[in-house]
Amino acid sequence: MLLPPLLPWLSLFLLWSDSPTLALSLSDAPKSAVIVGGGPVGLATALTLSNPPHSYDVTVLEQASVEQYDPTKAYLYNVNPRGQVWMKEHFPGALAKLQARGSQGSMSRITIVPADPQTPIPQIKTLDRYDTTKNNPQQDGEAEEAEVEQSSSVALKDDKVDTRNYWIPRHSMICLLEDEIKEQEAARMASSTKQVGAIHLKKDRKFASLTPSEDGTVKVAVQEVTTGETETYSGSLIVAADGFNSAVRDCLADDKQTSWLQTKPAQFRVKRWKSPASGLRMKVIQMPPGFGIPDSDGTLKTTENEYTYAIRPTFTGFNNFVSLGLLPVKDPSMIRPANVITRPDHDIWTKVTDGPTAKAWFSEAYPRFHWDDYVDDAEWDRFAKAAGTTFPYCQYSPGLQVTGPQQTSGVALVGDAAHAFPPDIGQGINAGLCDVVALDRALRGKDIITGKEGETPANLGAALKEYERVQGPQIRSLIRISRFGFPYQYRQSWFRDRVGRLLLTSNIAFRMLLNKLSFGKIPPSCIVLLQNSQLTYRQVMRRADLTTAAFCVVLLAFLWAKFGMMLMNIIGLAI
């Protein structure tokens, strides 16, 4: 009975449904994206996708319940110019925060603390070409940790390449990006245009599965860690930023779960290589801020929070040598985590089982220190029982994206989910932020390498395919750099490690010499070239390979000159 009175309104609705105005309003409806992983790369991706021209409403799903200082994750990021590209292009506020909260410089102001308490602590050696302070050099040329950095600074000095970077603790980096999100959200709510999408941070969520949605989007099922309840979030773009043990990537590698995406599972099965740094184990002993180091004359030398320290032990054996490393921090009141990085058969893991044994072992290994002044019993016990972290293989996923049948939805991998490696080349967070820049440019239709304007992609699928096509070779080159760059910098104590360190250091020095003698025509080693942020990872390896090829040609020529005639005579006799 109500139908006749409603007919005029129904006709009017049908008329409107064909109008371009209504079509425009539907097309301008907020797009949704879901990011699995709330680490620095995941948060950077959320900021990127929420801003124009993407303007996604973004949901970030993070397994951790709250971000705070965690001694098991007390490592520092070194954000170099590659990682700063993301900030410089679109988020100057994040760059300002990094500059305010991070400690500028790389392994530039380093003090090697001798094991013998009777040996004076040498002056700080300054290697950073941006630091005009001139100090006395280290005694006995002990600053081996800075060898490559020194070579890099010398190699790039004439090129005037900006190599300034910033050390920042992991939890501080995450807080920095979360602050940027809060500021953006406040500005968005105050604006009437709403060109910026919303960002919803959902913590305490563990990824469960991907499934198709009737509206063409992708559903992400998660389990709330504390309650065990299941929740579902939908998005046309799903981004996996959930680390090198990525659950999303594993899901894509299982054809039973994602056959609807029409993907080949094999392309998401990671390829792995073991470098000399793979398998090393790390944990930290927490030192107080501004602690003093006893000098040979009985005085205390107060540690500078923005300086690097390498503390040598009295032990020199294969299973008990370990050099404590303290990296720069900006906050003078922050705990100084002393890194302990060793092989898994080291005494730290096999003999130090509780607080008293840890205290006794450190007291014997580092007699210069009065340990009761620095570490209490609770910290000794925590350190002894900590499982620590293990450096991963050098690995990458051949597949970086997959799209739905209609090319209107898809999944992309960024950061450690796409590639992972030990931290010795200092590119972890920087490579992840490079992925975010590449994904952003692909979605915009820009040239991914140069950032120049290009053609707008036909659809989301086309943009993701371009991201994979360009970023894939960069990642493969990055993994090669991680394998051969400088994996012995942790002074691993096995005999083969010591031989490998000697050979690698000699190789780097020889290439630097050839580079100088050829007036730059012969490229230096990849770890030195890596300091030039104007080079892509692929360009770095291509140039380093050029020198390697030259070595091979010279070696073959030498062998031919030496043994060629002999070989020809042997062949002649055989004929």
Side-chain angles (χ1 to χ4, degrees):
M1 297 296 295
L2 294 175
L3 186 58
L6 290 177
L7 281 176
W9 295 102
L10 181 60
S11 302
L12 186 59
F13 173 79
L14 293 174
L15 201 64
W16 280 350
S17 66
D18 292 330
S19 70
T21 303
L22 182 60
L24 180 62
S25 65
L26 289 174
S27 65
D28 286 349
K31 299 178 294 183
S32 57
V34 178
I35 298 171
V36 182
V41 175
L43 296 177
T45 306
L47 283 163
T48 300
L49 295 181
S50 64
N51 274 270
H54 317 304
S55 301
Y56 282 94
D57 280 345
V58 182
T59 301
V60 182
L61 305 173
E62 167 57 34
Q63 186 169 339
S65 58
V66 63
E67 185 53 45
Q68 58 186 4
Y69 176 79
D70 182 352
T72 66
K73 296 181 179 179
Y75 44 82
L76 277 75
Y77 291 130
N78 184 265
V79 186
N80 64 31
R82 295 179 194 276
Q84 294 169 37
V85 168
W86 172 77
M87 303 178 185
K88 291 176 180 177
E89 284 195 355
H90 304 297
F91 298 97
L95 179 60
K97 292 181 180 66
L98 175 66
Q99 293 169 340
R101 304 180 191 184
S103 175
Q104 182 183 326
S106 53
M107 303 282 287
S108 53
R109 298 177 292 271
I110 182 169
T111 294
I112 308 294
V113 180
D116 185 359
Q118 304 304 316
T119 303
I121 300 174
Q123 294 292 323
I124 293 171
K125 184 172 183 179
T126 300
L127 299 173
D128 192 346
R129 61 192 178 93
Y130 293 101
D131 192 333
T132 57
T133 306
K134 300 297 181 182
N135 293 307
N136 295 329
Q138 293 284 352
Q139 295 179 350
D140 303 324
E142 265 196 308
E144 295 182 28
E145 285 79 1
E147 290 170 346
V148 175
E149 181 65 31
Q150 186 179 32
S151 300
S152 304
S153 297
V154 172
L156 299 176
K157 187 174 182 179
D158 296 334
D159 297 333
K160 297 181 180 179
V161 176
D162 186 359
T163 60
R164 282 174 290 190
N165 44 42
Y166 298 88
W167 291 100
I168 185 168
R170 181 184 185 275
H171 71 281
S172 297
M173 185 67 185
I174 292 178
C175 290
L176 180 158
L177 293 169
E178 288 186 348
D179 289 346
E180 187 75 8
I181 289 175
K182 292 175 183 176
E183 292 176 10
Q184 177 175 292
E185 281 294 287
R188 186 185 70 85
M189 296 301 294
S191 174
S192 59
T193 59
K194 304 298 181 183
Q195 293 180 348
V196 176
I199 299 178
H200 308 283
L201 296 178
K202 302 288 185 179
K203 297 190 176 183
D204 201 32
R205 266 69 172 181
K206 183 179 180 181
F207 173 83
S209 65
L210 295 173
T211 54
S213 179
E214 294 180 358
D215 60 1
T217 60
V218 180
K219 292 182 180 179
V220 181
V222 296
Q223 185 179 44
E224 193 169 350
V225 177
T226 54
T227 65
E229 296 181 358
T230 300
E231 299 175 344
T232 302
Y233 300 89
S234 297
S236 56
L237 176 58
I238 312 300
V239 179
D242 52 340
F244 69 89
N245 288 321
S246 171
V248 178
R249 186 191 62 223
D250 292 344
C251 179
L252 294 174
D254 186 350
D255 58 346
K256 295 180 180 179
Q257 296 191 51
T258 55
S259 58
W260 52 274
L261 280 174
Q262 299 179 345
T263 180
K264 295 180 180 179
Q267 74 183 69
F268 293 102
R269 293 169 187 161
V270 298
K271 295 188 176 182
R272 294 185 174 93
W273 291 267
K274 189 174 183 179
S275 87
S278 297
L280 293 179
R281 297 182 67 181
M282 169 185 166
K283 58 182 173 179
V284 302
I285 184 75
Q286 299 180 100
M287 304 289 283
F291 67 91
I293 304 177
D295 209 342
S296 58
D297 59 3
T299 61
L300 288 178
K301 282 197 171 182
T302 303
T303 54
E304 300 285 348
N305 57 293
E306 296 199 64
Y307 287 7
T308 300
Y309 295 86
I311 303 172
R312 300 293 193 236
T314 56
F315 298 149
T316 58
F318 291 158
N319 294 326
N320 59 17
F321 174 88
V322 59
S323 183
L324 298 182
L326 290 88
L327 294 171
V329 295
K330 184 65 173 288
D331 185 357
S333 63
M334 180 184 168
I335 291 172
R336 293 299 296 274
N339 296 327
V340 176
I341 304 174
T342 71
R343 290 290 184 190
D345 62 348
H346 194 277
D347 286 355
I348 288 291
W349 308 102
T350 60
K351 294 183 179 181
V352 175
T353 57
D354 53 25
T357 58
K359 181 178 178 180
W361 194 92
F362 272 76
S363 298
E364 185 178 358
Y366 307 97
R368 180 183 292 272
F369 292 86
H370 308 298
W371 286 102
D372 287 336
D373 298 336
Y374 309 118
V375 183
D376 59 22
D377 291 341
E379 173 59 13
W380 283 125
D381 194 59
R382 183 210 63 80
F383 172 81
K385 296 177 181 178
T389 58
T390 301
F391 289 174
Y393 284 80
C394 302
Q395 65 181 48
Y396 73 92
S397 171
L400 299 180
Q401 62 79 36
V402 62
T403 56
Q406 305 303 320
Q407 304 292 302
T408 57
S409 62
V411 183
L413 273 58
V414 296
D416 287 353
H419 46 74
F421 40 86
D424 39 84
I425 61 173
Q427 294 296 315
I429 188 172
N430 299 294
L433 292 176
C434 285
D435 293 338
V436 179
V437 172
L439 181 61
D440 172 52
R441 291 176 177 176
L443 294 172
R444 292 170 181 264
K446 290 186 175 183
D447 185 288
I448 291 179
I449 300 299
T450 65
K452 294 181 179 179
E453 296 292 339
E455 296 183 2
T456 303
N459 48 47
L460 177 63
L464 294 183
K465 287 181 174 66
E466 180 66 8
Y467 166 70
E468 181 180 64
R469 184 189 71 82
V470 177
Q471 199 66 0
Q474 298 295 334
I475 289 173
R476 291 193 290 272
S477 296
L478 170 65
I479 295 304
R480 289 190 61 211
I481 296 171
S482 69
R483 294 170 62 194
F484 308 118
F486 200 58
Y488 293 107
Q489 66 173 276
Y490 306 106
R491 300 181 66 87
Q492 298 97 305
S493 57
W494 287 358
F495 177 75
R496 73 183 188 193
D497 293 326
R498 299 181 183 186
V499 173
R501 179 183 177 88
L502 176 61
L503 294 175
L504 181 59
T505 305
S506 301
N507 179 278
I508 294 173
F510 184 56
R511 288 178 184 241
M512 282 297 302
L513 177 61
L514 291 180
N515 178 259
K516 289 299 180 183
L517 293 177
S518 65
F519 299 98
K521 298 297 182 183
I522 298 177
S525 66
C526 64
I527 193 63
V528 176
L529 288 168
L530 190 61
Q531 310 307 313
N532 186 344
S533 61
Q534 297 177 356
L535 297 177
T536 67
Y537 295 128
R538 196 177 187 189
Q539 289 170 336
V540 166
M541 279 313 303
R542 281 181 171 178
R543 295 192 182 190
D545 287 342
L546 181 63
T547 306
T548 303
F551 283 168
C552 293
V553 170
V554 171
L555 178 61
L556 290 173
F558 171 77
L559 293 175
W560 179 259
K562 193 74 174 176
F563 305 107
M565 189 57 66
M566 182 187 304
L567 180 62
M568 292 298 294
N569 291 336
I570 293 174
I571 294 174
L573 291 174
I575 294 175

